């Protein structure tokens, strides 16, 4: 196993064994469970807005692990050790993003059919929702690691991370919700393009933030 894979797998292991996995998933499913109590037993309304609610819940769930993505490694000196071994900050960030996609993204996708059933999302929209979330989660992971690198060590990092992440993720939410409407194909293409661009740019942005924090 090469160094990149070791760092990525370390992120996965920390997420799955350190408790960082369950809070986002529990939050995600809690939203799907509680929302019908707010709207009442209106199946038509739930079928119409349930998919959009899950998009918002997925974004908010991605905020919850922000404080553990960079700060513990920074405090323990892990990032400094990797830099001394010749690792570029961009590669460290990319490995963390890859690990976060697996550690957070895959469990969220696996939990989505349960959330779909709780909200009564129609079968015609369920497949589009799963595909759209699978496309968008790398962007959520990339933005999460970037925000974590920018806010590491700051008081109220989670709240500040939310203020930074939500505006950046608005295009993903717009195109993601669009995949559930009449122009699904166009929205899916725009979603894929936006997610690809954010995922590709995130290692460079996160790497620059790691480097600035060290300097």
């Amino acid at each position: 196993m090469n160094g990149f894979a070791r760092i990525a797998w370390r992120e996965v292991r920390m997420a799955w064994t350190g408790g960082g996995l369950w809070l986002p998933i529990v939050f995600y499913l809690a939203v799907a469970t509680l929302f019908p109590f707010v709207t009442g037993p209106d199946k038509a309304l739930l079928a119409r807005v349930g998919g959009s609610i899950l998009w918002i819940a997925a974004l908010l769930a991605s905020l919850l692990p922000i404080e553990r993505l960079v700060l513990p490694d920074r405090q323990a000196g892990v990032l400094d050790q990797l830099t001394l071994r010749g690792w570029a900050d961009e590669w460290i960030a990319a490995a963390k993003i890859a690990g976060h996609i697996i550690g957070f993204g895959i469990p969220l996708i696996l939990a989505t059919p349960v959330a779909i059933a709780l909200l009564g999302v129609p079968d015609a929209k369920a497949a589009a929702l799963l595909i759209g979330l699978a496309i968008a989660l790398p962007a959520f992971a990339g933005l999460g690691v970037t925000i974590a690198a920018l806010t590491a060590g700051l008081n109220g990092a989670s709240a500040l991370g939310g203020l930074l992440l939500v505006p950046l993720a608005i295009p993903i939410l717009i195109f993601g919700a669009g995949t559930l409407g009449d122009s699904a194909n166009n929205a899916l293409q725009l979603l894929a393009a936006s997610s690809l661009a954010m995922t590709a740019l995130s290692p460079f942005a996160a790497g620059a933030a790691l480097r600035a924090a060290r300097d």
Side-chain angles (χ1 to χ4, degrees):
M1 184 182 294
N2 60 32
F4 185 94
R6 282 198 297 270
I7 296 174
W9 177 244
R10 180 175 178 272
E11 294 295 314
V12 175
R13 190 172 64 250
M14 290 176 62
W16 289 359
T17 61
L21 165 66
W22 299 111
L23 182 58
I25 302 306
V26 169
F27 172 84
Y28 183 64
L29 292 177
V31 171
T33 302
L34 295 175
F35 187 74
F37 288 98
V38 176
T39 61
D42 189 337
K43 293 184 178 180
L45 177 61
L46 288 174
R48 188 167 63 252
V49 303
S52 299
I53 292 301
L54 289 183
W55 271 102
I56 296 173
L59 171 62
L60 296 179
S62 71
L63 291 172
L64 298 179
I66 278 180
E67 289 189 349
R68 69 159 186 83
L69 293 176
V70 173
L71 182 59
D73 285 348
R74 180 182 170 188
Q75 291 176 333
V78 173
L79 299 178
D80 292 333
Q81 289 296 321
L82 291 172
T83 302
L84 289 174
R85 293 180 184 180
W87 276 79
D89 293 304
E90 290 77 11
W91 274 107
I92 297 172
K96 283 184 167 291
I97 291 169
H100 192 34
I101 292 171
I102 299 171
F104 164 74
I106 291 179
L108 192 77
I109 289 295
L110 294 176
T112 296
V114 178
I116 286 173
L118 289 170
L119 285 174
V121 177
D123 293 340
K125 293 184 177 180
L129 179 61
L130 280 168
I131 294 171
L133 283 175
I135 292 172
L137 282 172
F140 285 162
L143 289 174
V145 172
T146 301
I147 300 302
L150 287 169
T151 59
L154 298 179
N155 293 328
S158 293
L160 180 58
L163 292 175
L164 293 172
L165 179 60
V166 170
L168 294 174
I170 285 177
I172 297 291
L173 289 179
I174 292 174
F175 299 139
T179 62
L180 306 175
D182 296 331
S183 303
N185 289 335
N186 291 336
L188 189 63
Q189 292 175 8
L190 292 170
L191 174 64
S194 299
S195 180
L196 180 61
M198 290 185 183
T199 306
L201 292 174
S202 292
F204 299 98
L210 293 175
R211 190 158 45 250
R214 187 172 59 253
D215 296 339

